[in-house]
Amino acid sequence: MRRDVVIPGIDPVTFEVLRMGLDAIADEMAYTIVRSARSTMIKDCMDYSASLCTAKGELIAQAVNIPVMMCSTPDALAPTIRKLGPTLVPGDCIILSDPYEGGSHLPDIFMFTPIFWEGRLIGFSSTCAHHADVGGMVPGSGSSDATEIFQEGLRIPIVKLYEAGKPNAALYELILRNVRFPAMLEGDLEAQRAACLIGERELQRLVARYGVDTVVNGMEALLDYSERIVREEITAMPDGVYEFTDYVDEDGMDPEPIPIRLSLEIRGDRVIADFSASAKQVRGSINCSLSVTKASTFTALKCFCREPFPPNSGFFRPIEVIAPEGTVLNVAFPGATFMRGLTIYRINNVLFGALARAMPERAIAADEGGTSIVVMEGRDAEDERFLYMETISGAWGGRAGADGLDCASNVTGLQSNTPVEVLESEYPIELVQYGFVPDSGGAGKHRGGLSLLREYRYLADSGTLQIRADRVRFAPYGLFGGQPGGCSGNWLDPDGTNVRLESKVKNRPLKRGEVVRHVLAAGGGYGWAFEREIDAVLADVRDGKVTVTGAREDYGVAIDPTTLRVDEAATARLRTGMRAAVDAAHPPLSTQ
């Protein structure tokens, strides 16, 4: 806690103990899920979250999980309280997945447990997890050609899964009869509930130690504290209106690119993010609920704040998000939403682009553009049906003061790539290649993170393939002279022909021995490439991240391919020519 901030009604030491205690509870909830879940999506890709909320439904503490999940939690909890608030008792457990009632998309099931102390509601423990299959048109529930919510799986309204500690057997039976892998979904739901019970137990322990009024008042103080710090941060940002546009390639149904347009106004201690000029709602399933559009905006803005503060609902208060219903960022019923993750990541990209214009000294170029999803299913050697689904991330864009990270999830996702050992031991799939793509990171004074390559050999007799990818047509942008990152791509090699596939692969048949190749886009570069330190270019060449040809053509650094030594005279000539070309096209030369 900042020493210059006075918290009314609570001493600074107790305030800090409560803050850290609440964070520790959320982290313990998250560990519970990852250690007990069954599906690869949750236990390995880590597509889940855990948090604590106040009795009013405001986010108060979140684990180190997916920010966009947790920042959308208040929008899911608010209608839950309105609908069921008077009926809540100890032992209740509520779930929902309906995007039109506070949810995100159908595979993301929110779960809330009310927490009581001596009959008084003092908060909620909350989890959200991406379940591998919730029914619908295709295994994994993620059809790229779904055009309405009814095709995407089981749509769960706000309903009690447990009532006063007793399971709702009829609801459980209804859910499990409508999914392809009921044991897996049941195990993942129970992992979520175990985490919620941990949150309940630990918050009650905190109350027992410090008193209910101290804890409840401390939560309110935490919200006010975060709001105060964020308003100070925004006040220090330069006032103005900053615009930026980026694109989703297409929606899997129609070939037209989908613009995400932002007008970002910084005014005093407030921010207004207006997406009104973005694309109308589309036929395909990339449409977002307003809750995740808001959550993506909150996440991006936090990245540009310098002062640390608790990431709770208090920090949302100075930020207004405008996205009219019926646009791709505020879906109207009955639009499809499964692939909305691509749009979430592009929201982050346009916010980073607009904020870069306001604060170039804090800027970061475009990341890989979001996780790709690869799904393969079929029957294994024991004739048991299997479903392999994974999210693939990562490359950061080059930053104002550093290179983009290689093979790291972007800030919106915070997910993990499935370990090779898990993939090959649990599924009839061989990982043929997994590594970086040389020369793919956007060239710049600070290089973008490299593309990732994952290549799979399918070992079951027959099955199907689905891929959700983007950034095939629109490369991740660079900033202030930095070059775009390399694009994504999908290939199928059935007989040595290496067929190029579309970015959204729709339930394509697979045969034994076929090889699926996916390349994830790379991060954009920051600043002019000829300003990059020569030693940094040489180090990249020696590490295999940049080729000798790439060093010469992209960075103006001449390196002997045999000795891997820099030719200083040739390098000076190359860089003088690159600088002169840029000066002629962009006078005066500046990274600002």
Side-chain angles (χ1 to χ4, degrees), residues 44-114:
D44 298 303
C45 294
M46 304 185 75
D47 198 345
Y48 74 98
S49 67
S51 57
L52 289 174
C53 297
T54 69
K56 297 177 183 178
E58 294 182 289
L59 181 69
I60 194 64
Q62 51 179 289
V64 185
N65 292 130
I66 299 175
V68 75
M69 270 188 180
M70 290 176 287
C71 290
S72 61
T73 294
D75 279 7
L77 185 51
T80 301
I81 294 173
R82 286 195 299 269
K83 184 175 182 178
L84 299 179
T87 73
L88 295 176
V89 297
D92 281 354
C93 177
I94 305 102
I95 60 171
L96 78 142
S97 68
D98 188 351
Y100 301 101
E101 200 173 15
S104 171
H105 66 164
L106 297 186
D108 281 358
I109 298 180
F110 281 94
M111 181 178 289
F112 303 111
T113 294

Side-chain angles (χ1 to χ4, degrees), residues 441-452:
K445 180 177 182 179
H446 300 295
R447 174 181 55 74
L450 297 179
S451 288
L452 277 180

Side-chain angles (χ1 to χ4, degrees), residues 132-146 151-153 180-181 338 375 377 385 387 389 464-466 505-508:
D133 181 90
V134 292
M137 294 169 61
V138 297
S141 310
S143 176
S144 296
D145 51 359
Q151 298 168 317
E152 297 189 299
R180 294 175 177 84
F181 302 90
F338 175 84
V375 182
E377 63 88 33
R385 192 172 191 180
L387 174 70
M389 175 186 285
T464 58
L465 167 71
Q466 300 166 66
V505 178
K506 306 176 186 71
N507 220 33
R508 186 185 181 100

Side-chain angles (χ1 to χ4, degrees), residues 183 211 262 266 395 428 550:
L262 170 66
I266 301 174

